[in-house]
Amino acid sequence: MPVDDIRPELQALRERQRRTGDDARAEARERRHQRGYRTARENLADLVDPDSFLEYGQLAVAAQRSRRDYGELQSATAADGILTGTCTINADRLGGERTRAAVVVNDYAVLAGTQGYFHHYKLDRICEIAEEQHLPVVMYTEGGGGRPGDTDVQTQIAGLHLRSFRNWARLAGRVPRIAVNNGYCFAGNAALFGCADFTIATRSSWIGMAGPAMIEGGGMGKVDAREIGPADVQEKNGVIDIVAEDEAHATALARQLLSYFQGDDPQWDCADQQGLRDIVPEDRRWAYPVRRVIETIADSGSFLELRRVFGRGIITGFMRLEGRPVALIANDCQQLGGAVDAESAEKAARFLQLVNAFGLPVVSLTDTPGFMVGPASEAAAAVRRMSSLFVSGAALQVPVVAIFLRKGYGLGAMAMTGGSFVAPVYAASWPTGEFGGMGLEGAVRLGFRKELEAVADPAEREALFEKLVAQLYESGKATEAAAFLEIDAVIDPADTRQVILAALRSAAL
């Protein structure tokens, strides 16, 4: 229809909608680009499938009509600084209905991404829709927290009766929630980020429960915004699950992470499994890169690790097997010899809680001498934090498949398999597996102390020690553990993928 034939009210609507777009806000867009950042709508367009976004509240403006020109508000405070709606994500690969999602994108170009009256209303609305329709949510959290300048609102004092944070937190365990951040994320925005199930942030992120103004207002001095919660700090302490290079990378990671909760991928391939036979060194004292094991077992390119530099002793993440998504925990023998320390136990416990809530089966690749011991470990609250791994394991309603790559000792090994070797639907070991109530060396030193002390010559004592260790190894090796039915089987490492898949099929998954 020619433009001249369009009725005036439709022309007015189109003009109003145009003011919310990047073309009408060219100066704000240019500021973002000069910093190497993208606009909110550019991130939105990259995340969602083409033509799938149904926007809610596009015409909202900041509640500041009493102090600013209404026409200016329509562009300067477009959508009141938050884009919300429903869409599909990954539909081209994974199908239609199961890829429906809700999206929230905070717009830093509107009043520094602060949260105003209508901003909160829109956030509440989309959280309620996500809960009612059981939609996973991806939220971009960049912003400065609460906004004091909404002068139109005269029916509240502190505004602490708002529902936004509670509504967002209520979704925990009901739908997957992924938070993505780039730039400054302070106060209320940081609370939203921290409440998410999974967190992705770019290296150009600063995330803190208070920004510079609040810190100064609290009498704690002037602090530069870039001193508050930089990404490298928040990665090391576990606040950030995955660090991205930039917003494009973060968006791609969000799409990939979400996909594990959207079902099977019909397109997959995998590496030659024969290489698994030689990954574990013949010398049982040598470490090896367990991520090579993971990446070989997993469908090619499907492994996504979470919190890589936090709790390094246990690797957590997702992978696919013949397109089927599974959760993964694995001991890293290159960190503390694979011992489960307090930090890694807490990390794994939280991960198991999350994947259990969303119904993903768990694969445990176990190679641990047990829990980390000693005064320093106890100072790190080992008793409480390590025990949380038993609590999470006992609560699992999803199947666990345990594959013992090498060491399976003590409470630590039990905690890696749901709290007991009988908890998994299938527990199998590679031929390199070895088992015991505690590490072989420790068992010899403790159990044969008198015999060792009775040998005066150091060389002879060491020879006796090695002989006793070898004897314990023979009695505790994988085939003996299987013969005593403490594990279900010993398998060819090259068959690991097929064994896991068969076990999951037997569990009706």
Side-chain angles (χ1 to χ4, degrees), residues 390-426:
F390 282 106
V391 174
S392 295
L396 289 173
Q397 299 295 310
V398 295
V400 178
V401 179
I403 304 294
F404 294 93
L405 306 183
R406 187 166 58 184
K407 297 178 182 179
Y409 290 108
L411 291 169
M414 295 166 67
M416 286 293 297
T417 61
S420 167
F421 285 10
V422 300
V425 296
Y426 202 71

PDB file of all heavy atoms in Angstrom, residues 390-426:
ATOM      1  N   PHE A 390      27.424 -34.757  48.832  1.00  0.00           N
ATOM      2  CA  PHE A 390      26.600 -35.913  49.168  1.00  0.00           C
ATOM      3  C   PHE A 390      25.120 -35.550  49.163  1.00  0.00           C
ATOM      4  O   PHE A 390      24.276 -36.311  48.685  1.00  0.00           O
ATOM      5  CB  PHE A 390      26.985 -36.462  50.544  1.00  0.00           C
ATOM      6  CG  PHE A 390      28.237 -37.277  50.547  1.00  0.00           C
ATOM      7  CD1 PHE A 390      29.417 -36.772  51.078  1.00  0.00           C
ATOM      8  CD2 PHE A 390      28.261 -38.558  50.019  1.00  0.00           C
ATOM      9  CE1 PHE A 390      30.579 -37.518  51.082  1.00  0.00           C
ATOM     10  CE2 PHE A 390      29.421 -39.324  50.023  1.00  0.00           C
ATOM     11  CZ  PHE A 390      30.581 -38.796  50.552  1.00  0.00           C
ATOM     12  N   VAL A 391      24.797 -34.395  49.706  1.00  0.00           N
ATOM     13  CA  VAL A 391      23.393 -33.967  49.758  1.00  0.00           C
ATOM     14  C   VAL A 391      22.824 -33.810  48.353  1.00  0.00           C
ATOM     15  O   VAL A 391      21.730 -34.302  48.048  1.00  0.00           O
ATOM     16  CB  VAL A 391      23.265 -32.647  50.554  1.00  0.00           C
ATOM     17  CG1 VAL A 391      21.837 -32.120  50.495  1.00  0.00           C
ATOM     18  CG2 VAL A 391      23.692 -32.853  52.007  1.00  0.00           C
ATOM     19  N   SER A 392      23.568 -33.144  47.482  1.00  0.00           N
ATOM     20  CA  SER A 392      23.108 -32.967  46.097  1.00  0.00           C
ATOM     21  C   SER A 392      23.021 -34.304  45.373  1.00  0.00           C
ATOM     22  O   SER A 392      22.083 -34.554  44.606  1.00  0.00           O
ATOM     23  CB  SER A 392      24.044 -32.030  45.345  1.00  0.00           C
ATOM     24  OG  SER A 392      24.016 -30.734  45.884  1.00  0.00           O
ATOM     25  N   GLY A 393      23.992 -35.172  45.605  1.00  0.00           N
ATOM     26  CA  GLY A 393      23.976 -36.478  44.954  1.00  0.00           C
ATOM     27  C   GLY A 393      22.796 -37.321  45.381  1.00  0.00           C
ATOM     28  O   GLY A 393      22.153 -37.987  44.555  1.00  0.00           O
ATOM     29  N   ALA A 394      22.482 -37.304  46.679  1.00  0.00           N
ATOM     30  CA  ALA A 394      21.363 -38.103  47.181  1.00  0.00           C
ATOM     31  C   ALA A 394      20.024 -37.595  46.670  1.00  0.00           C
ATOM     32  O   ALA A 394      19.055 -38.360  46.598  1.00  0.00           O
ATOM     33  CB  ALA A 394      21.379 -38.096  48.709  1.00  0.00           C
ATOM     34  N   ALA A 395      19.962 -36.318  46.313  1.00  0.00           N
ATOM     35  CA  ALA A 395      18.706 -35.729  45.842  1.00  0.00           C
ATOM     36  C   ALA A 395      18.471 -35.928  44.346  1.00  0.00           C
ATOM     37  O   ALA A 395      17.393 -35.589  43.844  1.00  0.00           O
ATOM     38  CB  ALA A 395      18.692 -34.231  46.152  1.00  0.00           C
ATOM     39  N   LEU A 396      19.447 -36.483  43.633  1.00  0.00           N
ATOM     40  CA  LEU A 396      19.308 -36.625  42.184  1.00  0.00           C
ATOM     41  C   LEU A 396      18.149 -37.540  41.818  1.00  0.00           C
ATOM     42  O   LEU A 396      18.028 -38.657  42.318  1.00  0.00           O
ATOM     43  CB  LEU A 396      20.600 -37.176  41.582  1.00  0.00           C
ATOM     44  CG  LEU A 396      21.807 -36.241  41.546  1.00  0.00           C
ATOM     45  CD1 LEU A 396      23.048 -36.986  41.070  1.00  0.00           C
ATOM     46  CD2 LEU A 396      21.538 -35.029  40.660  1.00  0.00           C
ATOM     47  N   GLN A 397      17.310 -37.054  40.920  1.00  0.00           N
ATOM     48  CA  GLN A 397      16.225 -37.848  40.356  1.00  0.00           C
ATOM     49  C   GLN A 397      16.539 -38.268  38.926  1.00  0.00           C
ATOM     50  O   GLN A 397      15.760 -38.994  38.314  1.00  0.00           O
ATOM     51  CB  GLN A 397      14.924 -37.035  40.378  1.00  0.00           C
ATOM     52  CG  GLN A 397      14.472 -36.638  41.770  1.00  0.00           C
ATOM     53  CD  GLN A 397      14.110 -37.845  42.622  1.00  0.00           C
ATOM     54  OE1 GLN A 397      13.346 -38.707  42.190  1.00  0.00           O
ATOM     55  NE2 GLN A 397      14.659 -37.918  43.830  1.00  0.00           N
ATOM     56  N   VAL A 398      17.653 -37.797  38.414  1.00  0.00           N
ATOM     57  CA  VAL A 398      18.064 -38.136  37.050  1.00  0.00           C
ATOM     58  C   VAL A 398      19.105 -39.251  37.121  1.00  0.00           C
ATOM     59  O   VAL A 398      19.786 -39.430  38.140  1.00  0.00           O
ATOM     60  CB  VAL A 398      18.662 -36.909  36.325  1.00  0.00           C
ATOM     61  CG1 VAL A 398      17.602 -35.832  36.144  1.00  0.00           C
ATOM     62  CG2 VAL A 398      19.862 -36.359  37.083  1.00  0.00           C
ATOM     63  N   PRO A 399      19.252 -40.055  36.055  1.00  0.00           N
ATOM     64  CA  PRO A 399      20.235 -41.129  36.073  1.00  0.00           C
ATOM     65  C   PRO A 399      21.667 -40.612  36.080  1.00  0.00           C
ATOM     66  O   PRO A 399      21.972 -39.582  35.468  1.00  0.00           O
ATOM     67  CB  PRO A 399      19.958 -41.912  34.790  1.00  0.00           C
ATOM     68  CG  PRO A 399      18.820 -41.267  34.127  1.00  0.00           C
ATOM     69  CD  PRO A 399      18.481 -40.009  34.825  1.00  0.00           C
ATOM     70  N   VAL A 400      22.518 -41.335  36.759  1.00  0.00           N
ATOM     71  CA  VAL A 400      23.950 -41.056  36.770  1.00  0.00           C
ATOM     72  C   VAL A 400      24.665 -42.265  36.172  1.00  0.00           C
ATOM     73  O   VAL A 400      24.365 -43.411  36.524  1.00  0.00           O
ATOM     74  CB  VAL A 400      24.468 -40.819  38.200  1.00  0.00           C
ATOM     75  CG1 VAL A 400      25.984 -40.578  38.193  1.00  0.00           C
ATOM     76  CG2 VAL A 400      23.746 -39.657  38.858  1.00  0.00           C
ATOM     77  N   VAL A 401      25.580 -42.010  35.263  1.00  0.00           N
ATOM     78  CA  VAL A 401      26.456 -43.059  34.742  1.00  0.00           C
ATOM     79  C   VAL A 401      27.871 -42.717  35.187  1.00  0.00           C
ATOM     80  O   VAL A 401      28.364 -41.627  34.904  1.00  0.00           O
ATOM     81  CB  VAL A 401      26.384 -43.160  33.207  1.00  0.00           C
ATOM     82  CG1 VAL A 401      27.337 -44.244  32.707  1.00  0.00           C
ATOM     83  CG2 VAL A 401      24.969 -43.447  32.744  1.00  0.00           C
ATOM     84  N   ALA A 402      28.509 -43.638  35.902  1.00  0.00           N
ATOM     85  CA  ALA A 402      29.854 -43.405  36.410  1.00  0.00           C
ATOM     86  C   ALA A 402      30.867 -44.213  35.605  1.00  0.00           C
ATOM     87  O   ALA A 402      30.689 -45.424  35.412  1.00  0.00           O
ATOM     88  CB  ALA A 402      29.943 -43.798  37.880  1.00  0.00           C
ATOM     89  N   ILE A 403      31.892 -43.543  35.137  1.00  0.00           N
ATOM     90  CA  ILE A 403      32.999 -44.195  34.448  1.00  0.00           C
ATOM     91  C   ILE A 403      34.271 -43.877  35.239  1.00  0.00           C
ATOM     92  O   ILE A 403      34.659 -42.710  35.351  1.00  0.00           O
ATOM     93  CB  ILE A 403      33.153 -43.704  32.995  1.00  0.00           C
ATOM     94  CG1 ILE A 403      31.839 -43.897  32.210  1.00  0.00           C
ATOM     95  CG2 ILE A 403      34.311 -44.418  32.319  1.00  0.00           C
ATOM     96  CD1 ILE A 403      31.436 -45.346  32.008  1.00  0.00           C
ATOM     97  N   PHE A 404      34.906 -44.888  35.800  1.00  0.00           N
ATOM     98  CA  PHE A 404      36.141 -44.698  36.552  1.00  0.00           C
ATOM     99  C   PHE A 404      37.320 -44.798  35.585  1.00  0.00           C
ATOM    100  O   PHE A 404      37.561 -45.843  34.990  1.00  0.00           O
ATOM    101  CB  PHE A 404      36.264 -45.758  37.653  1.00  0.00           C
ATOM    102  CG  PHE A 404      35.219 -45.634  38.713  1.00  0.00           C
ATOM    103  CD1 PHE A 404      34.033 -46.362  38.623  1.00  0.00           C
ATOM    104  CD2 PHE A 404      35.386 -44.776  39.786  1.00  0.00           C
ATOM    105  CE1 PHE A 404      33.050 -46.246  39.585  1.00  0.00           C
ATOM    106  CE2 PHE A 404      34.410 -44.646  40.759  1.00  0.00           C
ATOM    107  CZ  PHE A 404      33.237 -45.387  40.660  1.00  0.00           C
ATOM    108  N   LEU A 405      38.016 -43.693  35.424  1.00  0.00           N
ATOM    109  CA  LEU A 405      39.148 -43.654  34.511  1.00  0.00           C
ATOM    110  C   LEU A 405      40.390 -44.258  35.156  1.00  0.00           C
ATOM    111  O   LEU A 405      41.167 -44.952  34.502  1.00  0.00           O
ATOM    112  CB  LEU A 405      39.440 -42.220  34.082  1.00  0.00           C
ATOM    113  CG  LEU A 405      38.259 -41.429  33.492  1.00  0.00           C
ATOM    114  CD1 LEU A 405      38.738 -40.056  33.050  1.00  0.00           C
ATOM    115  CD2 LEU A 405      37.605 -42.181  32.348  1.00  0.00           C
ATOM    116  N   ARG A 406      40.539 -43.998  36.438  1.00  0.00           N
ATOM    117  CA  ARG A 406      41.699 -44.545  37.142  1.00  0.00           C
ATOM    118  C   ARG A 406      41.365 -44.672  38.629  1.00  0.00           C
ATOM    119  O   ARG A 406      40.850 -45.701  39.047  1.00  0.00           O
ATOM    120  CB  ARG A 406      42.949 -43.688  36.912  1.00  0.00           C
ATOM    121  CG  ARG A 406      44.216 -44.307  37.492  1.00  0.00           C
ATOM    122  CD  ARG A 406      45.488 -43.641  36.972  1.00  0.00           C
ATOM    123  NE  ARG A 406      45.534 -42.207  37.240  1.00  0.00           N
ATOM    124  CZ  ARG A 406      46.507 -41.400  36.809  1.00  0.00           C
ATOM    125  NH1 ARG A 406      47.500 -41.881  36.087  1.00  0.00           N
ATOM    126  NH2 ARG A 406      46.482 -40.113  37.095  1.00  0.00           N
ATOM    127  N   LYS A 407      41.617 -43.674  39.447  1.00  0.00           N
ATOM    128  CA  LYS A 407      41.489 -43.821  40.892  1.00  0.00           C
ATOM    129  C   LYS A 407      40.050 -43.618  41.375  1.00  0.00           C
ATOM    130  O   LYS A 407      39.376 -42.666  40.972  1.00  0.00           O
ATOM    131  CB  LYS A 407      42.406 -42.823  41.602  1.00  0.00           C
ATOM    132  CG  LYS A 407      43.885 -43.064  41.322  1.00  0.00           C
ATOM    133  CD  LYS A 407      44.757 -42.021  42.020  1.00  0.00           C
ATOM    134  CE  LYS A 407      46.232 -42.259  41.692  1.00  0.00           C
ATOM    135  NZ  LYS A 407      47.114 -41.261  42.333  1.00  0.00           N
ATOM    136  N   GLY A 408      39.641 -44.517  42.258  1.00  0.00           N
ATOM    137  CA  GLY A 408      38.339 -44.395  42.904  1.00  0.00           C
ATOM    138  C   GLY A 408      38.497 -44.698  44.379  1.00  0.00           C
ATOM    139  O   GLY A 408      38.225 -45.814  44.832  1.00  0.00           O
ATOM    140  N   TYR A 409      38.913 -43.682  45.138  1.00  0.00           N
ATOM    141  CA  TYR A 409      39.251 -43.900  46.539  1.00  0.00           C
ATOM    142  C   TYR A 409      38.372 -43.081  47.483  1.00  0.00           C
ATOM    143  O   TYR A 409      38.121 -41.903  47.263  1.00  0.00           O
ATOM    144  CB  TYR A 409      40.721 -43.540  46.794  1.00  0.00           C
ATOM    145  CG  TYR A 409      41.692 -44.514  46.164  1.00  0.00           C
ATOM    146  CD1 TYR A 409      42.445 -44.151  45.049  1.00  0.00           C
ATOM    147  CD2 TYR A 409      41.842 -45.795  46.683  1.00  0.00           C
ATOM    148  CE1 TYR A 409      43.338 -45.051  44.473  1.00  0.00           C
ATOM    149  CE2 TYR A 409      42.725 -46.701  46.111  1.00  0.00           C
ATOM    150  CZ  TYR A 409      43.465 -46.323  45.003  1.00  0.00           C
ATOM    151  OH  TYR A 409      44.343 -47.224  44.435  1.00  0.00           O
ATOM    152  N   GLY A 410      37.944 -43.730  48.530  1.00  0.00           N
ATOM    153  CA  GLY A 410      37.368 -43.065  49.681  1.00  0.00           C
ATOM    154  C   GLY A 410      36.095 -42.298  49.441  1.00  0.00           C
ATOM    155  O   GLY A 410      35.368 -42.489  48.457  1.00  0.00           O
ATOM    156  N   LEU A 411      35.806 -41.417  50.394  1.00  0.00           N
ATOM    157  CA  LEU A 411      34.581 -40.625  50.364  1.00  0.00           C
ATOM    158  C   LEU A 411      34.498 -39.748  49.119  1.00  0.00           C
ATOM    159  O   LEU A 411      33.412 -39.512  48.585  1.00  0.00           O
ATOM    160  CB  LEU A 411      34.495 -39.744  51.615  1.00  0.00           C
ATOM    161  CG  LEU A 411      34.267 -40.468  52.948  1.00  0.00           C
ATOM    162  CD1 LEU A 411      34.473 -39.501  54.104  1.00  0.00           C
ATOM    163  CD2 LEU A 411      32.866 -41.061  52.992  1.00  0.00           C
ATOM    164  N   GLY A 412      35.648 -39.246  48.662  1.00  0.00           N
ATOM    165  CA  GLY A 412      35.651 -38.380  47.483  1.00  0.00           C
ATOM    166  C   GLY A 412      35.117 -39.079  46.257  1.00  0.00           C
ATOM    167  O   GLY A 412      34.346 -38.503  45.474  1.00  0.00           O
ATOM    168  N   ALA A 413      35.520 -40.340  46.061  1.00  0.00           N
ATOM    169  CA  ALA A 413      35.030 -41.095  44.909  1.00  0.00           C
ATOM    170  C   ALA A 413      33.539 -41.374  45.048  1.00  0.00           C
ATOM    171  O   ALA A 413      32.783 -41.302  44.072  1.00  0.00           O
ATOM    172  CB  ALA A 413      35.803 -42.396  44.771  1.00  0.00           C
ATOM    173  N   MET A 414      33.091 -41.695  46.264  1.00  0.00           N
ATOM    174  CA  MET A 414      31.667 -41.921  46.480  1.00  0.00           C
ATOM    175  C   MET A 414      30.855 -40.657  46.178  1.00  0.00           C
ATOM    176  O   MET A 414      29.795 -40.721  45.552  1.00  0.00           O
ATOM    177  CB  MET A 414      31.423 -42.368  47.923  1.00  0.00           C
ATOM    178  CG  MET A 414      32.031 -43.720  48.263  1.00  0.00           C
ATOM    179  SD  MET A 414      32.061 -44.024  50.042  1.00  0.00           S
ATOM    180  CE  MET A 414      30.299 -44.145  50.376  1.00  0.00           C
ATOM    181  N   ALA A 415      31.387 -39.499  46.624  1.00  0.00           N
ATOM    182  CA  ALA A 415      30.683 -38.237  46.383  1.00  0.00           C
ATOM    183  C   ALA A 415      30.567 -37.929  44.899  1.00  0.00           C
ATOM    184  O   ALA A 415      29.599 -37.300  44.459  1.00  0.00           O
ATOM    185  CB  ALA A 415      31.409 -37.099  47.097  1.00  0.00           C
ATOM    186  N   MET A 416      31.537 -38.383  44.104  1.00  0.00           N
ATOM    187  CA  MET A 416      31.511 -38.155  42.662  1.00  0.00           C
ATOM    188  C   MET A 416      30.456 -38.997  41.958  1.00  0.00           C
ATOM    189  O   MET A 416      30.135 -38.766  40.795  1.00  0.00           O
ATOM    190  CB  MET A 416      32.879 -38.457  42.053  1.00  0.00           C
ATOM    191  CG  MET A 416      33.950 -37.421  42.332  1.00  0.00           C
ATOM    192  SD  MET A 416      33.643 -35.833  41.533  1.00  0.00           S
ATOM    193  CE  MET A 416      33.713 -36.299  39.793  1.00  0.00           C
ATOM    194  N   THR A 417      29.912 -40.012  42.639  1.00  0.00           N
ATOM    195  CA  THR A 417      28.975 -40.938  41.990  1.00  0.00           C
ATOM    196  C   THR A 417      27.618 -40.948  42.688  1.00  0.00           C
ATOM    197  O   THR A 417      26.986 -41.992  42.840  1.00  0.00           O
ATOM    198  CB  THR A 417      29.558 -42.361  41.965  1.00  0.00           C
ATOM    199  OG1 THR A 417      29.783 -42.810  43.310  1.00  0.00           O
ATOM    200  CG2 THR A 417      30.866 -42.400  41.203  1.00  0.00           C
ATOM    201  N   GLY A 418      27.194 -39.779  43.144  1.00  0.00           N
ATOM    202  CA  GLY A 418      25.879 -39.688  43.779  1.00  0.00           C
ATOM    203  C   GLY A 418      25.868 -40.127  45.222  1.00  0.00           C
ATOM    204  O   GLY A 418      24.802 -40.293  45.813  1.00  0.00           O
ATOM    205  N   GLY A 419      27.029 -40.340  45.827  1.00  0.00           N
ATOM    206  CA  GLY A 419      27.117 -40.694  47.227  1.00  0.00           C
ATOM    207  C   GLY A 419      27.418 -42.150  47.496  1.00  0.00           C
ATOM    208  O   GLY A 419      27.664 -42.542  48.634  1.00  0.00           O
ATOM    209  N   SER A 420      27.417 -42.970  46.462  1.00  0.00           N
ATOM    210  CA  SER A 420      27.681 -44.402  46.611  1.00  0.00           C
ATOM    211  C   SER A 420      27.924 -45.000  45.244  1.00  0.00           C
ATOM    212  O   SER A 420      27.355 -44.548  44.248  1.00  0.00           O
ATOM    213  CB  SER A 420      26.487 -45.110  47.271  1.00  0.00           C
ATOM    214  OG  SER A 420      26.593 -46.524  47.168  1.00  0.00           O
ATOM    215  N   PHE A 421      28.741 -46.052  45.185  1.00  0.00           N
ATOM    216  CA  PHE A 421      28.963 -46.717  43.901  1.00  0.00           C
ATOM    217  C   PHE A 421      27.721 -47.446  43.406  1.00  0.00           C
ATOM    218  O   PHE A 421      27.671 -47.852  42.241  1.00  0.00           O
ATOM    219  CB  PHE A 421      30.124 -47.709  44.016  1.00  0.00           C
ATOM    220  CG  PHE A 421      31.490 -47.077  44.055  1.00  0.00           C
ATOM    221  CD1 PHE A 421      31.654 -45.704  44.203  1.00  0.00           C
ATOM    222  CD2 PHE A 421      32.635 -47.853  43.946  1.00  0.00           C
ATOM    223  CE1 PHE A 421      32.912 -45.121  44.249  1.00  0.00           C
ATOM    224  CE2 PHE A 421      33.915 -47.290  43.984  1.00  0.00           C
ATOM    225  CZ  PHE A 421      34.047 -45.919  44.148  1.00  0.00           C
ATOM    226  N   VAL A 422      26.723 -47.630  44.260  1.00  0.00           N
ATOM    227  CA  VAL A 422      25.483 -48.272  43.815  1.00  0.00           C
ATOM    228  C   VAL A 422      24.452 -47.250  43.332  1.00  0.00           C
ATOM    229  O   VAL A 422      23.404 -47.629  42.814  1.00  0.00           O
ATOM    230  CB  VAL A 422      24.850 -49.148  44.919  1.00  0.00           C
ATOM    231  CG1 VAL A 422      25.806 -50.228  45.341  1.00  0.00           C
ATOM    232  CG2 VAL A 422      24.419 -48.305  46.119  1.00  0.00           C
ATOM    233  N   ALA A 423      24.728 -45.952  43.494  1.00  0.00           N
ATOM    234  CA  ALA A 423      23.775 -44.927  43.069  1.00  0.00           C
ATOM    235  C   ALA A 423      23.655 -44.808  41.546  1.00  0.00           C
ATOM    236  O   ALA A 423      22.551 -44.605  41.027  1.00  0.00           O
ATOM    237  CB  ALA A 423      24.149 -43.579  43.676  1.00  0.00           C
ATOM    238  N   PRO A 424      24.737 -44.935  40.786  1.00  0.00           N
ATOM    239  CA  PRO A 424      24.602 -44.816  39.326  1.00  0.00           C
ATOM    240  C   PRO A 424      23.782 -45.955  38.734  1.00  0.00           C
ATOM    241  O   PRO A 424      23.746 -47.066  39.274  1.00  0.00           O
ATOM    242  CB  PRO A 424      26.060 -44.891  38.839  1.00  0.00           C
ATOM    243  CG  PRO A 424      26.889 -44.497  40.008  1.00  0.00           C
ATOM    244  CD  PRO A 424      26.157 -45.026  41.194  1.00  0.00           C
ATOM    245  N   VAL A 425      23.141 -45.669  37.603  1.00  0.00           N
ATOM    246  CA  VAL A 425      22.442 -46.739  36.890  1.00  0.00           C
ATOM    247  C   VAL A 425      23.447 -47.711  36.295  1.00  0.00           C
ATOM    248  O   VAL A 425      23.115 -48.865  36.011  1.00  0.00           O
ATOM    249  CB  VAL A 425      21.518 -46.184  35.785  1.00  0.00           C
ATOM    250  CG1 VAL A 425      20.420 -45.337  36.384  1.00  0.00           C
ATOM    251  CG2 VAL A 425      22.310 -45.392  34.738  1.00  0.00           C
ATOM    252  N   TYR A 426      24.677 -47.259  36.116  1.00  0.00           N
ATOM    253  CA  TYR A 426      25.751 -48.138  35.653  1.00  0.00           C
ATOM    254  C   TYR A 426      27.062 -47.539  36.111  1.00  0.00           C
ATOM    255  O   TYR A 426      27.303 -46.334  35.961  1.00  0.00           O
ATOM    256  CB  TYR A 426      25.726 -48.268  34.132  1.00  0.00           C
ATOM    257  CG  TYR A 426      26.415 -49.510  33.602  1.00  0.00           C
ATOM    258  CD1 TYR A 426      25.856 -50.766  33.782  1.00  0.00           C
ATOM    259  CD2 TYR A 426      27.623 -49.422  32.918  1.00  0.00           C
ATOM    260  CE1 TYR A 426      26.474 -51.915  33.292  1.00  0.00           C
ATOM    261  CE2 TYR A 426      28.248 -50.558  32.418  1.00  0.00           C
ATOM    262  CZ  TYR A 426      27.667 -51.802  32.616  1.00  0.00           C
ATOM    263  OH  TYR A 426      28.279 -52.938  32.132  1.00  0.00           O
TER     264      TYR A 426
END
